[in-house]
Amino acid sequence: MTRTGFYPGSFDPVTYGHLDIIARAARIVDKLVLGIGVHHGKQAMLSAAQRIKLLDQVTRPIVEHTRVKIEIVTFDDLAVNAARRAHAGLIIRGLRDASDFDYEVQMGQMNGAMAPDIETVFLAASPATRMIASSLVKQIARMGGDVTLFIPKEALALVNVALAETR
Ligand code: ADP
């Protein structure tokens, strides 16, 4: 039986924190579906098409190294519905700190109430990447800071293009 996990997020842009969670989730599932949330009213720096291509590029080494199957989808509805469409029995979430814990556990419980057949699995962020947040990466990049420590070079290239377009 194929064990499928669904990892939802904005991935705007994908960071080394997300990649850490993806690589570790790849050890507990056979197939990992990455769900890019494209909810209306949520202004993203990168388009859905850019985020799909980027996730595909940067997860290739994980696929080669682990033989996990990775699929990338977008969704604009409830994560539990998107997880169902992906035939996932697990929702994967990362926990960085206490505020992630409070929010994620509450959301996991509400998702569990709506979809008792889908289990949320929390992976604690690794020490080297737990401080990384996409929102802060964008703020730092907008102010001219160097974000090469936080995001893959493919993501950096797209962030630079997006920033150049807004200047
Ligand atoms: P962000 O919060 O950085 O904008 P997302 O909304 O894409 O990122 O988050 C998707 C999921 O990834 C959430 O479960 C979030 O806690 C997790 N996540 C984000 N950054 C990290 C990180 N540095 N380490 C571990 N998990 C992370």
Side-chain angles (χ1 to χ4, degrees):
M1 203 185 90
T2 304
R3 186 185 286 276
T4 302
F6 182 72
Y7 178 31
S10 330
F11 305 107
D12 183 44
V14 60
T15 70
Y16 285 130
H18 297 128
L19 283 176
D20 169 59
I21 297 296
I22 292 169
R24 290 167 49 214
R27 304 212 296 250
I28 54 176
V29 297
D30 308 298
K31 180 175 169 187
L32 187 61
V33 179
L34 307 177
I36 302 175
V38 289
H39 297 92
H40 298 298
K42 226 180 153 186
Q43 188 67 33
M45 176 181 262
L46 303 181
S47 70
Q50 285 176 313
R51 284 179 277 166
I52 292 171
K53 192 170 167 209
L54 191 52
L55 274 175
D56 179 55
Q57 284 173 335
V58 300
T59 56
R60 243 173 251 163
I62 298 172
V63 172
E64 279 158 23
H65 196 245
T66 63
R67 298 280 153 216
V68 72
K69 284 195 183 72
I70 290 189
E71 200 176 288
I72 302 158
V73 300
T74 59
F75 71 104
D76 64 359
D77 57 341
L78 292 174
V80 284
N81 290 345
R84 278 229 173 85
R85 284 195 297 276
H87 304 290
L90 301 175
I91 290 179
I92 310 280
R93 298 291 285 175
L95 294 179
R96 285 166 289 196
D97 53 20
S99 63
D100 266 1
F101 178 88
D102 288 344
Y103 174 73
E104 295 287 348
V105 169
Q106 185 181 17
M107 199 165 72
Q109 288 170 343
M110 292 186 82
N111 282 341
M114 290 186 284
D117 49 319
I118 301 177
E119 195 62 54
T120 300
V121 173
F122 301 107
L123 296 175
S126 293
T129 49
R130 69 167 276 192
M131 74 298 193
I132 304 172
S134 294
S135 51
L136 288 177
V137 165
K138 283 181 281 194
Q139 273 187 43
I140 294 168
R142 277 194 194 103
M143 292 181 203
D146 181 3
V147 292
T148 50
L149 287 176
F150 312 132
I151 59 174
K153 61 178 188 315
E154 295 88 344
L156 184 64
L158 288 179
V159 166
N160 285 336
V161 169
L163 287 177
E165 279 168 2
T166 57
R167 277 192 189 116

